[in-house]
Amino acid sequence: MESTVTYKSDLNLKATELRLGLPGADDSDNEKPTTPVAVRNNKRPFSELSDESKSVSDAKDGDRETAPVAKVQVVGWPPIRSYRKNSFQSKKIETEGAGIYVKVSMDGAPYLRKIDLKLYKGYPELLKALEEMFKFTIGEYSEREGYNGSEYEPTYEDKDGDWMLVGDVPWDMFISSCKRLRIMKGSEARGLDCA
Amino acid sequence: MSEDEDRTVDLDGVSGGGAGFNHEASSSKTSCCPSPSPDRVLEIVLENVLLFLTSRRDRSAVSLVCKSWYRAEALTRSELFIGNCYAVSPRRAIERFQKVRSLVLKGMPRFADFSLVPPNWGAHFLPWVSAMATGYPWLEKVYLKRMSVTDDDLNLLAKSFPGFKELVLVCCEGFGTSGLAAVARECRQLRVLDLIDDEVMDDEVDWISCFPETGTCLESLVFDCVEFHVNFGALELLVARSPSLRRLKLNRHVPLGELLRLMVRAPRLTHLGTGSFSLSEHPAQEEQEAASLAAAFAACKSLICLSGFRDIVPDYLPTIHPVCAKLTSLNLSYANINAEQLKSVIYHCHKLQTLWVLDSVCDEGLQAVAATCKELHELRVFPMDAREDGQAFVSEVGLLAISEGCRKLRSILYFCQKMTNDAVVAMSQNCPELVVFRLCIMGRHRPDHVTGEPMDIGFGAIVMNCKKLTRLAVSGLLTDKAFSYIGKYGKLVRTLSVAFAGNTDMALRYVLEGCPKLLKLEIRDSPFGDTALLSGLHHYYNMRFLWMSSCKLSLGGCKEVARRMPQLVVELIREPEEEDIVDDVVEKLYMYRSLEGCRLDAPSFVTIL
């Protein structure tokens, strides 16, 4: 697959790159990585830690203390089981950080891709991105007939495990129930229309 | 629901009790011989008396009296508790205790829950289940915590114990639906199948359909941790043919409509996990579902424990009103609800003893709890935003309110971003019944946000005033002083969790020298070195384990401990990518007493000294 795809924003491979530096050190959008960087504490002298604590202890300013200097995310802190942490991925207070990543497969393609549904505002953008990613065209959508004018149809698996045609439900409902996407080809695709 | 069950010392028998067995003593019903000797009579009497003795601590004491008491106790112990699966081998346990019907087995250290132990570290169930398959054919109950359990293990378990009744797996992993199917299918007497916080793999086997078709003895079915769909139709049929079912906890893939159908079939439930609790996607049906829901709850006259609410639409929380007055346990820790929404139900929950919530309810919500739940024993407040620099919605205000309203509080777990010594001191004074105090100030090294002082005084007051305290977890900015208080006053403390705290080795020394009952000590990212480690040599054989990670330990210090304490297993755990120990620095130390010496199943990233 060629990598000339363009989304609304970059794939941001840098965020997932493993490195030992502070996250956000060379990142312009100040996005915290979703997986914490494992810190090798034996390499950090303890004087560094106490310096940090001094920067935090400016507590005299009343309720809202100044946000501490961007700290390295430490593995396993705070001590919450990952199961519980992950339960609130899609329920973050301010929608920053975690996206809604779903796998995308296309019939005939050798491997899958992953996209972040949160990057798109609606179906047109999503479909365009899919077209560019897999180098194909999707037909015109109509409620009655599904997608016309192409041998491909975008489908998705919802929370109940059923395969649905992309576009039938409101966008917000779609992104909260979509578990994965599959671009169906040929006669199988037709079958969904007639259902 | 409580995770804190260790109330007594475990049995390991490090004191190394008597030698072999007198097999004549194994049967209290001697058949052919003439009237038994006086000694034998005494033993028979003792065995019969000991049948009534259930407490672990008492049994341990009995076994130390003399050889014949040791034997009698060993023959009558039916419940075996192994706090560390590596402390004793299955063979040794089975040789000593021959009539065991129930096993409790714990494996990995607790910090494994927070990704501090690499995968495949150990704690395999296989050697235990294999040994018990021949050693305890009448085994009825197995309770595992933090063990690695495979489908094959479950298969073996299912086939080996015809009278098997209860399987409880907590924080376990390595198994999936095929293993569960085997248990469902083969264990015809199964009463309890509880999966709590496990990682269950989806082999796409419909295990719910595998239970006996004619009817089951099921009393409890808990699977709220299972992250994929189960066959709902089969579940409904299962509930219909399980007349003894009293505890049912569904996973988040069971929507409201299905929950309703199950509740109708099982009105005598005492414990219900409600699944997603999210409404149908068809707005037209919502009102009808809400009404049906209220009616269903009204029909559940025996309900005392509610949980679930995974994807709750808060407006519909009030449908649980009919059961609130009787509720003793409520788990809303996955429900993103605010103070008002909590109030709509909590004001009816006068009998509540256990409450788990999210900090989304804010200090105001906790104030409502304090005003109503006078019988509260256990409170857990979890953070919505579980990052150390994240937003938190509760503070010292909530803690103070709880302390003033819930005087009978025994156990608290409280996550926050800011706290004051005053509030913690107040809690120590208002809640003298506290047994478990776990405060997690999520930002590292945070002081009292009003005075700027370390949190030493607060935790000091807790150990000083809460005379029954056995479990303590500390956080925030703490100096050695805090630990001196713990060493001085924490005479009953058995479990201590320390993170990012203390200044010097003295802190750890205070604890090791001052806390005679210390059993489990887990420390991370604190500046304690070899001197501190060596100051505890007098005590380590009395402990179940010591965990120290990202401290200041060196290879030399750990080797010294291993040299001087031959019955301690000293494990150094590396990251799996690392070839060998770097720079003489010990990143993770896990050490525990054991009768068996070095374990043979250690992976390559573990070095045992």
Side-chain angles (χ1 to χ4, degrees), chain B residues 478-510:
Chain B
L478 293 170
T479 71
D480 290 349
K481 201 115 193 45
F483 296 91
S484 73
Y485 292 138
I486 296 173
K488 186 169 177 193
Y489 298 108
K491 295 307 177 188
L492 295 183
V493 170
R494 289 200 293 261
T495 308
L496 180 62
S497 306
V498 177
F500 306 101
N503 303 125
T504 72
D505 281 353
M506 279 315 295
L508 181 52
R509 285 184 64 176
Y510 286 135

Tab-separated table of all heavy atoms in Angstrom, chain B residues 478-510:
chain	number	residue	atom	x	y	z
B	478	LEU	N	5.935	12.464	51.289
B	478	LEU	CA	6.153	11.851	52.598
B	478	LEU	C	7.642	11.817	52.919
B	478	LEU	O	8.440	11.407	52.095
B	478	LEU	CB	5.604	10.413	52.616
B	478	LEU	CG	4.091	10.282	52.507
B	478	LEU	CD1	3.692	8.821	52.287
B	478	LEU	CD2	3.419	10.800	53.767
B	479	THR	N	7.972	12.213	54.126
B	479	THR	CA	9.369	12.132	54.554
B	479	THR	C	9.549	10.899	55.430
B	479	THR	O	8.600	10.162	55.691
B	479	THR	CB	9.768	13.374	55.370
B	479	THR	OG1	9.106	13.300	56.643
B	479	THR	CG2	9.358	14.660	54.669
B	480	ASP	N	10.754	10.727	55.923
B	480	ASP	CA	11.027	9.589	56.805
B	480	ASP	C	10.139	9.631	58.050
B	480	ASP	O	9.835	8.596	58.651
B	480	ASP	CB	12.505	9.588	57.238
B	480	ASP	CG	13.439	9.243	56.082
B	480	ASP	OD1	12.930	8.813	55.011
B	480	ASP	OD2	14.661	9.387	56.238
B	481	LYS	N	9.723	10.819	58.401
B	481	LYS	CA	8.905	10.971	59.605
B	481	LYS	C	7.635	10.119	59.552
B	481	LYS	O	7.248	9.468	60.526
B	481	LYS	CB	8.494	12.447	59.736
B	481	LYS	CG	8.090	12.844	61.129
B	481	LYS	CD	9.053	13.871	61.722
B	481	LYS	CE	8.863	14.067	63.216
B	481	LYS	NZ	8.707	12.877	64.000
B	482	ALA	N	7.002	10.125	58.379
B	482	ALA	CA	5.775	9.333	58.239
B	482	ALA	C	6.041	7.878	58.588
B	482	ALA	O	5.248	7.221	59.259
B	482	ALA	CB	5.244	9.450	56.810
B	483	PHE	N	7.191	7.397	58.156
B	483	PHE	CA	7.508	5.990	58.393
B	483	PHE	C	7.878	5.733	59.845
B	483	PHE	O	7.658	4.640	60.369
B	483	PHE	CB	8.605	5.550	57.421
B	483	PHE	CG	8.145	5.602	55.990
B	483	PHE	CD1	8.322	6.749	55.226
B	483	PHE	CD2	7.484	4.518	55.432
B	483	PHE	CE1	7.862	6.807	53.920
B	483	PHE	CE2	7.024	4.568	54.125
B	483	PHE	CZ	7.212	5.715	53.370
B	484	SER	N	8.414	6.749	60.465
B	484	SER	CA	8.701	6.564	61.889
B	484	SER	C	7.390	6.413	62.656
B	484	SER	O	7.299	5.627	63.600
B	484	SER	CB	9.525	7.730	62.439
B	484	SER	OG	8.728	8.885	62.574
B	485	TYR	N	6.367	7.132	62.227
B	485	TYR	CA	5.060	6.977	62.863
B	485	TYR	C	4.523	5.568	62.617
B	485	TYR	O	3.987	4.922	63.517
B	485	TYR	CB	4.054	7.984	62.287
B	485	TYR	CG	4.334	9.428	62.628
B	485	TYR	CD1	4.194	10.428	61.668
B	485	TYR	CD2	4.716	9.805	63.916
B	485	TYR	CE1	4.436	11.755	61.964
B	485	TYR	CE2	4.963	11.132	64.214
B	485	TYR	CZ	4.828	12.105	63.231
B	485	TYR	OH	5.075	13.419	63.523
B	486	ILE	N	4.657	5.115	61.378
B	486	ILE	CA	4.139	3.782	61.059
B	486	ILE	C	4.847	2.725	61.897
B	486	ILE	O	4.230	1.818	62.445
B	486	ILE	CB	4.304	3.467	59.551
B	486	ILE	CG1	3.465	4.433	58.714
B	486	ILE	CG2	3.882	2.027	59.253
B	486	ILE	CD1	3.694	4.317	57.214
B	487	GLY	N	6.151	2.869	62.022
B	487	GLY	CA	6.909	1.908	62.825
B	487	GLY	C	6.554	1.975	64.289
B	487	GLY	O	6.523	0.967	64.996
B	488	LYS	N	6.231	3.178	64.743
B	488	LYS	CA	5.954	3.345	66.173
B	488	LYS	C	4.558	2.905	66.550
B	488	LYS	O	4.346	2.326	67.617
B	488	LYS	CB	6.159	4.818	66.528
B	488	LYS	CG	6.036	5.111	68.003
B	488	LYS	CD	6.513	6.519	68.321
B	488	LYS	CE	6.300	6.783	69.825
B	488	LYS	NZ	6.445	8.191	70.169
B	489	TYR	N	3.583	3.200	65.671
B	489	TYR	CA	2.191	2.964	66.048
B	489	TYR	C	1.506	1.845	65.267
B	489	TYR	O	0.478	1.345	65.700
B	489	TYR	CB	1.375	4.250	65.848
B	489	TYR	CG	1.846	5.387	66.709
B	489	TYR	CD1	2.525	6.475	66.155
B	489	TYR	CD2	1.606	5.383	68.081
B	489	TYR	CE1	2.959	7.525	66.949
B	489	TYR	CE2	2.034	6.426	68.882
B	489	TYR	CZ	2.716	7.495	68.308
B	489	TYR	OH	3.140	8.531	69.092
B	490	GLY	N	2.083	1.477	64.134
B	490	GLY	CA	1.371	0.525	63.284
B	490	GLY	C	1.602	-0.916	63.689
B	490	GLY	O	2.102	-1.717	62.901
B	491	LYS	N	1.244	-1.230	64.917
B	491	LYS	CA	1.623	-2.534	65.461
B	491	LYS	C	0.813	-3.685	64.887
B	491	LYS	O	1.207	-4.844	64.987
B	491	LYS	CB	1.495	-2.531	66.993
B	491	LYS	CG	2.463	-1.566	67.678
B	491	LYS	CD	3.901	-1.814	67.241
B	491	LYS	CE	4.858	-0.818	67.860
B	491	LYS	NZ	6.213	-0.933	67.287
B	492	LEU	N	-0.313	-3.380	64.281
B	492	LEU	CA	-1.107	-4.464	63.711
B	492	LEU	C	-1.030	-4.494	62.186
B	492	LEU	O	-1.660	-5.331	61.554
B	492	LEU	CB	-2.577	-4.308	64.122
B	492	LEU	CG	-2.890	-4.455	65.593
B	492	LEU	CD1	-4.388	-4.358	65.824
B	492	LEU	CD2	-2.396	-5.797	66.122
B	493	VAL	N	-0.253	-3.583	61.626
B	493	VAL	CA	-0.238	-3.470	60.165
B	493	VAL	C	0.342	-4.727	59.534
B	493	VAL	O	1.461	-5.143	59.863
B	493	VAL	CB	0.573	-2.227	59.722
B	493	VAL	CG1	0.802	-2.241	58.214
B	493	VAL	CG2	-0.156	-0.959	60.121
B	494	ARG	N	-0.421	-5.296	58.600
B	494	ARG	CA	0.030	-6.518	57.928
B	494	ARG	C	0.426	-6.236	56.477
B	494	ARG	O	1.300	-6.889	55.925
B	494	ARG	CB	-1.075	-7.569	57.926
B	494	ARG	CG	-1.338	-8.153	59.295
B	494	ARG	CD	-2.040	-9.484	59.167
B	494	ARG	NE	-3.384	-9.353	58.638
B	494	ARG	CZ	-4.475	-9.346	59.382
B	494	ARG	NH1	-4.383	-9.460	60.683
B	494	ARG	NH2	-5.659	-9.227	58.831
B	495	THR	N	-0.276	-5.313	55.853
B	495	THR	CA	-0.001	-5.000	54.448
B	495	THR	C	0.305	-3.522	54.320
B	495	THR	O	-0.481	-2.691	54.780
B	495	THR	CB	-1.220	-5.329	53.566
B	495	THR	OG1	-1.636	-6.650	53.803
B	495	THR	CG2	-0.879	-5.162	52.092
B	496	LEU	N	1.437	-3.202	53.709
B	496	LEU	CA	1.817	-1.805	53.526
B	496	LEU	C	2.239	-1.577	52.088
B	496	LEU	O	3.071	-2.323	51.551
B	496	LEU	CB	2.969	-1.455	54.474
B	496	LEU	CG	3.496	-0.016	54.400
B	496	LEU	CD1	2.411	0.985	54.780
B	496	LEU	CD2	4.709	0.157	55.326
B	497	SER	N	1.663	-0.551	51.447
B	497	SER	CA	2.011	-0.205	50.068
B	497	SER	C	2.594	1.189	50.049
B	497	SER	O	1.972	2.130	50.535
B	497	SER	CB	0.772	-0.233	49.174
B	497	SER	OG	0.120	-1.463	49.287
B	498	VAL	N	3.790	1.294	49.477
B	498	VAL	CA	4.519	2.556	49.478
B	498	VAL	C	4.935	2.903	48.059
B	498	VAL	O	5.450	2.052	47.331
B	498	VAL	CB	5.791	2.436	50.347
B	498	VAL	CG1	6.597	3.722	50.306
B	498	VAL	CG2	5.426	2.076	51.776
B	499	ALA	N	4.754	4.156	47.657
B	499	ALA	CA	5.180	4.574	46.319
B	499	ALA	C	5.659	6.011	46.380
B	499	ALA	O	4.986	6.866	46.932
B	499	ALA	CB	4.024	4.443	45.333
B	500	PHE	N	6.801	6.266	45.783
B	500	PHE	CA	7.332	7.628	45.668
B	500	PHE	C	7.364	8.332	47.029
B	500	PHE	O	6.876	9.457	47.175
B	500	PHE	CB	6.484	8.450	44.693
B	500	PHE	CG	6.327	7.812	43.342
B	500	PHE	CD1	5.164	7.127	43.007
B	500	PHE	CD2	7.350	7.895	42.409
B	500	PHE	CE1	5.027	6.516	41.763
B	500	PHE	CE2	7.214	7.292	41.151
B	500	PHE	CZ	6.054	6.606	40.842
B	501	ALA	N	7.917	7.660	48.030
B	501	ALA	CA	7.872	8.228	49.370
B	501	ALA	C	9.182	8.020	50.116
B	501	ALA	O	9.977	7.153	49.769
B	501	ALA	CB	6.725	7.595	50.157
B	502	GLY	N	9.380	8.805	51.145
B	502	GLY	CA	10.543	8.648	52.011
B	502	GLY	C	11.777	9.378	51.480
B	502	GLY	O	11.863	9.722	50.316
B	503	ASN	N	12.725	9.612	52.393
B	503	ASN	CA	13.966	10.299	52.010
B	503	ASN	C	15.183	9.395	52.054
B	503	ASN	O	16.068	9.483	51.215
B	503	ASN	CB	14.246	11.476	52.960
B	503	ASN	CG	13.103	12.449	52.988
B	503	ASN	OD1	12.561	12.765	54.047
B	503	ASN	ND2	12.727	12.924	51.823
B	504	THR	N	15.271	8.582	53.103
B	504	THR	CA	16.479	7.784	53.305
B	504	THR	C	16.133	6.366	53.715
B	504	THR	O	14.968	6.036	53.943
B	504	THR	CB	17.349	8.373	54.434
B	504	THR	OG1	16.691	8.118	55.688
B	504	THR	CG2	17.575	9.862	54.263
B	505	ASP	N	17.158	5.559	53.879
B	505	ASP	CA	16.996	4.177	54.323
B	505	ASP	C	16.251	4.086	55.656
B	505	ASP	O	15.607	3.076	55.951
B	505	ASP	CB	18.368	3.503	54.490
B	505	ASP	CG	18.941	3.074	53.137
B	505	ASP	OD1	18.222	3.175	52.125
B	505	ASP	OD2	20.101	2.631	53.107
B	506	MET	N	16.352	5.115	56.438
B	506	MET	CA	15.739	5.066	57.774
B	506	MET	C	14.250	4.776	57.688
B	506	MET	O	13.681	4.087	58.529
B	506	MET	CB	15.940	6.401	58.512
B	506	MET	CG	17.288	6.571	59.177
B	506	MET	SD	17.822	5.108	60.113
B	506	MET	CE	16.576	5.031	61.407
B	507	ALA	N	13.622	5.308	56.666
B	507	ALA	CA	12.175	5.113	56.528
B	507	ALA	C	11.836	3.628	56.501
B	507	ALA	O	10.965	3.160	57.244
B	507	ALA	CB	11.686	5.798	55.258
B	508	LEU	N	12.525	2.895	55.660
B	508	LEU	CA	12.239	1.467	55.569
B	508	LEU	C	12.640	0.754	56.854
B	508	LEU	O	11.960	-0.167	57.317
B	508	LEU	CB	12.974	0.866	54.362
B	508	LEU	CG	12.756	-0.619	54.100
B	508	LEU	CD1	11.278	-0.972	54.049
B	508	LEU	CD2	13.430	-1.051	52.805
B	509	ARG	N	13.708	1.221	57.453
B	509	ARG	CA	14.139	0.595	58.706
B	509	ARG	C	13.096	0.760	59.804
B	509	ARG	O	12.824	-0.163	60.566
B	509	ARG	CB	15.461	1.200	59.160
B	509	ARG	CG	16.644	0.717	58.340
B	509	ARG	CD	17.935	1.245	58.877
B	509	ARG	NE	18.195	0.746	60.230
B	509	ARG	CZ	19.317	0.999	60.898
B	509	ARG	NH1	20.252	1.732	60.364
B	509	ARG	NH2	19.477	0.523	62.102
B	510	TYR	N	12.529	1.933	59.884
B	510	TYR	CA	11.493	2.158	60.895
B	510	TYR	C	10.400	1.103	60.778
B	510	TYR	O	9.922	0.550	61.764
B	510	TYR	CB	10.836	3.534	60.707
B	510	TYR	CG	11.678	4.717	61.119
B	510	TYR	CD1	11.771	5.849	60.311
B	510	TYR	CD2	12.364	4.723	62.335
B	510	TYR	CE1	12.532	6.945	60.670
B	510	TYR	CE2	13.128	5.812	62.701
B	510	TYR	CZ	13.210	6.920	61.871
B	510	TYR	OH	13.963	8.005	62.227
